[in-house]
Amino acid sequence: MFITSPYAADLERVPVREGALGILGSTTRFWDYGDPDADTTLVLVHGFRGDHHGLEPVVAQLRGVRMVSPDLPGFGESTPMTEAAHDIDGYGRWLREFVAGLELPAGGRVVLLGHSFGSIVVSGSLATASSGVARPDAVVLVNPIGQPALEGPRGVFTRLAIFYYWLAAALPERLGFGLLRNRVIVRVMSMAMAKTRDASLRRWIHDQHDRYFSAFSDRRVVLEAFRASVSHDVSEYAARIPERTLLVAAEKDDITPIEAEFRLQTLFPDAELVAIPDVGHLIHYETPVSAAGAIERFLGESA
């Protein structure tokens, strides 16, 4: 049964165009929202196992900016990379080439936004870029992974996840692939992350995870990306990101506690942090209005 998004009406008012770029052997599909002639272009990078749909609730709330939201290679409708591994270095190269491939107008402002795993991809890409690579004007990280995954308040769940992905890799291809797409396990993950007490919103969140959380191309891609997600975090890159940065964190995040997010803020040369109450790792689903408000204020101040 299809469950209507609570943000559908807002999203319908945002014009959207579809496109594709060939990058590192991947046919990268992307969705181009908002005013194509806006002064500011926001390039969005979604989280692990998701695709561009996950950030659409935030897209629906933003006005006056152009928003380009690709599916990461190997996820959603984008094919895997054949010229790079699906790790932080590979995704970092991909992101730099994707932004360059958009051929954005000279003089416009470019802002990179990463959510969850996307926060590591964005940070790693910026921290390892060579001196001749064009850099963004500002950075936004939503639910940033601010410390090693095993140090989080639910480190035991991370260990269980590591075992789950290890088992998926150890099993024969068909069984391992089936385990990764097991609907019961996906639902357990979704229930663990959702904090809202709104029953209708929870049903929609679970439906979103049912629809898009298993939209990856093959077992190899998702295992490579998982290893990257638990082997790196934003804190190892923060000091090498001079751009003005906004951290949008959640007070009830089970992956990175809010205390670690405040420590993360101090590692950046120029960063501010907005803490959203009563939400966990699903800011983009549960509190997109608050997130968008913080982003719009930040963009206005950094213009």
Side-chain angles (χ1 to χ4, degrees), residues 123-206:
S123 300
S125 180
L126 292 174
T128 59
S130 61
S131 58
V133 174
R135 300 189 66 88
D137 297 278
V139 179
V140 177
L141 304 179
V142 180
N143 284 121
I145 308 300
Q147 67 177 23
L150 292 176
E151 296 180 10
R154 289 195 178 186
V156 63
F157 286 98
T158 302
R159 289 176 173 84
L160 287 174
I162 290 173
F163 173 75
Y164 164 65
Y165 284 99
W166 171 85
L167 181 60
L171 288 170
E173 174 71 28
R174 183 178 62 84
L175 292 177
F177 193 63
L179 179 63
L180 289 170
R181 285 185 161 175
N182 184 278
R183 292 178 65 87
V184 174
I185 294 175
V186 170
R187 178 56 59 89
V188 170
M189 293 178 183
S190 184
M191 293 173 66
M193 290 188 289
K195 300 299 182 185
T196 179
R197 296 182 179 180
D198 184 323
S200 62
L201 181 57
R202 289 183 71 90
R203 283 194 297 272
W204 176 74
I205 290 171
H206 297 332

Side-chain angles (χ1 to χ4, degrees), residues 37-277:
D37 298 319
D39 292 334
T40 298
T41 298
L42 197 61
V43 179
L44 303 99
V45 183
H46 63 76
F48 177 62
R49 286 189 63 155
D51 65 12
H52 72 281
H53 290 95
L55 290 171
E56 282 192 329
V58 177
V59 166
Q61 310 304 321
L62 293 170
R63 298 290 183 270
V65 296
R66 178 185 179 187
M67 295 157 282
V68 181
S69 186
D71 284 348
L72 283 170
F75 294 89
E77 297 185 28
S78 293
T79 62
M81 292 180 285
T82 60
E83 301 171 21
H86 297 82
D87 56 14
I88 299 304
D89 287 341
Y91 278 127
R93 287 178 57 197
W94 164 84
L95 179 57
R96 291 190 293 269
E97 293 193 21
F98 177 77
V99 174
L102 291 174
E103 298 182 343
L104 299 173
R109 185 169 56 152
V110 178
V111 179
L112 296 184
L113 181 152
H115 171 256
S116 188
F117 177 59
S119 72
I120 309 177
V121 172
V122 168
S123 300
S125 180
L126 292 174
T128 59
S130 61
S131 58
V133 174
R135 300 189 66 88
D137 297 278
V139 179
V140 177
L141 304 179
V142 180
N143 284 121
I145 308 300
Q147 67 177 23
L150 292 176
E151 296 180 10
R154 289 195 178 186
V156 63
F157 286 98
T158 302
R159 289 176 173 84
L160 287 174
I162 290 173
F163 173 75
Y164 164 65
Y165 284 99
W166 171 85
L167 181 60
L171 288 170
E173 174 71 28
R174 183 178 62 84
L175 292 177
F177 193 63
L179 179 63
L180 289 170
R181 285 185 161 175
N182 184 278
R183 292 178 65 87
V184 174
I185 294 175
V186 170
R187 178 56 59 89
V188 170
M189 293 178 183
S190 184
M191 293 173 66
M193 290 188 289
K195 300 299 182 185
T196 179
R197 296 182 179 180
D198 184 323
S200 62
L201 181 57
R202 289 183 71 90
R203 283 194 297 272
W204 176 74
I205 290 171
H206 297 332
D207 180 68
Q208 289 291 288
H209 285 140
D210 287 345
R211 290 177 182 276
Y212 305 120
F213 211 56
S214 296
F216 47 84
S217 60
D218 56 64
R219 181 173 68 165
R220 176 185 62 86
V221 166
V222 75
L223 292 176
E224 286 183 357
F226 174 73
R227 284 191 289 270
S229 73
V230 296
S231 301
H232 300 275
D233 66 89
V234 176
S235 68
E236 66 187 272
Y237 304 115
R240 289 175 281 166
I241 301 174
E243 289 81 13
R244 188 159 184 245
T245 301
L246 171 66
L247 308 177
V248 183
E251 290 187 354
K252 295 183 177 181
D253 198 332
D254 292 322
I255 296 178
T256 302
I258 192 64
E259 296 80 10
E261 301 287 29
F262 278 105
R263 288 196 298 271
L264 176 66
Q265 178 191 5
T266 67
L267 302 180
F268 285 87
D270 184 7
E272 67 170 286
L273 184 146
V274 172
I276 300 181

